[in-house]
Amino acid sequence: MSNGLTGIVKVWEAKLKKSRVSARRRTNSIFSAMSVAHVDDDDDMHDDSDVPHVDKSFPNHDTYSGQWSDNWPHGHGTCSWADGCIYEGDWHRGWMMGRGKFTWPSGASYEGGFKNSYMEGSGVYVGSSNERYSGTWQSGLRHGRGICDYANGDKCEGHWRRGLPDGKGKYSWINGNQYVGHWRRGRMNGNGTMVWANGNRYDGGWEAGLPRGNGTFRWVDGSCYVGVWSKDQSEQSGTYYPSSSQSGSFDWDPQEVYLENLSDCRIHPGEEMSDHPSLKILNWPCDGEDLLKNMAGKNLRPSSVDGGGLSNAGSEYSFDGSSACCESVRDLGEGSPGLGRSQELDMAPKGCGRPHIVIKPTKKQGNTISKGHKNYDLMLNLQLGISIGSCVAIYRHAVGRPAPSTTLDLKSSAFDPREKVWTRFPPSGSKHTPPHQSCDFRWKDYCPLVFRALRQLFKVDAADYMISLCGNDALRELSSPGKSGSFFYLTNDDRYMIKTMKKSEAKVLIRMLSAYYKHVRAFENTLVTKFYGLHCVKLTGAAQKKVRFVIMGNLFRTEYAIHRRFDLKGSSHGRLTDKPESEIEPTTTLKDLDLNFIFHLQNSWFRDLCRQVDKDCDLLEQERIMDYSLLVGVHFRDMSNAGEPLNTGARTPLGNGSPDLSQLASIKLGDHMPARAELTMRKNNDEAQLVGEPTGEYYDVILVFGIIDILQDYDISKKLEHAYKSFQYDPTSISAVDPKQYSKRFRDFIFRVFAEDG
């Protein structure tokens, strides 16, 4: 390219960048306020201090006192309706918009955010019966994180959806019973634990508020019943394991749980709201023509949590369903009616230019292993080994053998490579193993006390662990084995990942286990992979096949759809997927040179990240580990995989203010972290540029990240790879380098990819 042409291009780029920055500043001036009010035009945002104050009385006996503009309440004001309802707070063109308090004649009140006259964002509702809900709202319904204290003394805290508990949550009854687990549409559904006031507990699956599927009922004396649960007695099956102190026969019917134990565990329906604030605004005593003009000019439409409008048949005015104000990009996510299998969304950061990004529907990763699959028998053996092994432990403790200590202070002998337990599982059964239908195999647990303590450190419930890995649902195999030849399997609930491993990898893990254990115990926010168990299955007979595998936490087990995932090492050679945007799936693992974002974290989180990456890299460098990666999952907040609006009030974008203290306390490093992703662009030349130039264009995102592949030491094969590739390529660009050099390069890269927000 000639010098003249180069100069023209540079001038053009400078102008473009300047215009983008200017546009971003204009947009930020609109969206940077903490208020949940949404406006579309710059000329609507004038200084409310100039708006005159009026006192008005209307023929229907409603009154208004406050700021008034263009025949509408606009600014701060108080409206009293003839039926006794009162609203005091912020208004925008006749809509309750911003912060305010709404009081009902019954004595009930709501104080918090409003948007288009709907309760939206964070707020507190106190009912006439003294029921109190504090949390987030959307379209007038409880939606997001919240805590409800019911009038009868019960308490529910956790995630809400469309006005009902949905997702993870805890319900405490006034009688002392407590449930902790998953909910769906106001009922216990999924994995959960019920603990009764008398100390008995049930851990396992739930469906429509009742135990269903694999589960364990434990008595306070240590005895337990393990089996498959169903209200239909013909589907119920299981085994009772007595405690060591119990003698004689035991007569107990599992149906008692349904008929008696759960009889006093009813979910409180909650207090009905007598009249929603959004309905009051529909009766505003202004000229109908003015109202329609205002609505048409503002394109306002009350949105529901389903992405559609909330209609009111008895209303004097109807809302235009084609409005664009509330039907934003996030209302049109994957799965929305009328959209194809993939959408090419102009996902716009709050600012300037709109890069064309193709977002495809998210799918459940992996293929279910069914009968006839080449690894079907292996899957059965893995599940048998874990489930029967757990039952064996229960049985052994029941017949008088001392249970392992629950202390986290382990002796050095627990980390000895020779500390392993072999158990034979003949199909006919043995003294400690029940009969089964699989082939004869032997099962090995490596350092069982250490991994038991690790699961305790990582707060993994033993029953949940067994149910996830060994329930009725089959494992899912990822589409292709890793570069090492290992196979990866996911549990059906996505909690755990199982990886087959080479003998050398198992040796590395056992060798570094003591240092790893001390590290994860010392640093609760460590980003390194969580290991839950190391096992081996050996088939007896002629085959003598031996398969080692490790059980790990699945980093991407999240309620958010992962739209992009990046595997980042800090090297450039071979670190490009080189796929066009249209071919990138949500499950495609992109690499360093595919990354086109810088992730801006809140200042304190960024400092925590830097400290933890330093500590984790120190451990890996000390153990001579290299070739690890930071795996990053990105969820764009403007869309959901179900095509429904997200709860922007629960997770405030960094650009719209800081989260409150309760939100800060619940966010863990690397786990569902709000951030701003700034788009970058690389120079169009022959040199590989690891981090592109920032453009000033932002996306609000949720990040999930952790350090993976930490079992590759710098052995002779990696040293030979380094020597061979160094002759062909720049030695600093290749992945296979000395652990000390690898650690420094990795840190430097991560600290460029992440930045402080502000």
Side-chain angles (χ1 to χ4, degrees), residues 536-593:
C536 177
V537 168
K538 182 180 180 182
L539 304 181
T540 58
Q544 293 288 308
K545 183 180 179 182
K546 188 182 286 187
V547 180
R548 298 171 184 84
F549 63 96
V550 65
I551 301 174
M552 308 175 289
N554 177 23
L555 189 65
F556 290 154
R557 195 222 176 207
T558 168
E559 64 193 88
Y560 297 102
I562 300 297
H563 298 126
R564 289 289 183 271
R565 56 188 71 196
F566 297 93
D567 181 275
L568 307 175
K569 294 179 182 287
S571 57
S572 57
H573 175 68
R575 303 297 296 164
L576 181 67
T577 306
D578 201 21
K579 279 190 175 183
E581 185 71 31
S582 59
E583 294 181 15
I584 295 176
E585 301 282 345
T587 55
T588 301
T589 301
L590 303 171
K591 300 179 182 179
D592 301 65
L593 295 180

Side-chain angles (χ1 to χ4, degrees), residues 159-217:
H159 287 270
W160 297 70
R161 185 179 181 84
R162 302 190 185 106
L164 297 171
D166 199 296
K168 294 180 183 178
K170 179 171 75 172
Y171 194 101
S172 304
W173 285 265
I174 193 172
N175 59 15
N177 299 343
Q178 186 179 89
Y179 171 83
V180 179
H182 287 79
W183 296 77
R184 181 177 173 82
R185 296 176 183 172
R187 290 178 163 188
M188 298 170 281
N189 204 94
N191 285 330
T193 298
M194 174 74 78
V195 181
W196 282 268
N198 61 8
N200 295 344
R201 62 184 285 163
Y202 169 81
D203 303 272
W206 295 77
E207 186 177 286
L210 299 172
R212 174 78 178 184
N214 291 284
T216 301
F217 188 93

Side-chain angles (χ1 to χ4, degrees), residues 526-543:
T526 180
L527 297 173
V528 296
T529 303
K530 291 180 171 62
F531 294 118
Y532 299 126
L534 180 61
H535 310 284
C536 177
V537 168
K538 182 180 180 182
L539 304 181
T540 58

Side-chain angles (χ1 to χ4, degrees), residues 401-420:
R401 299 192 185 186
S405 172
T406 56
T407 180
L408 296 176
D409 298 320
L410 301 177
K411 297 179 180 179
S412 58
S413 58
F415 300 93
D416 192 314
R418 293 167 294 183
E419 183 67 18
K420 48 196 171 188

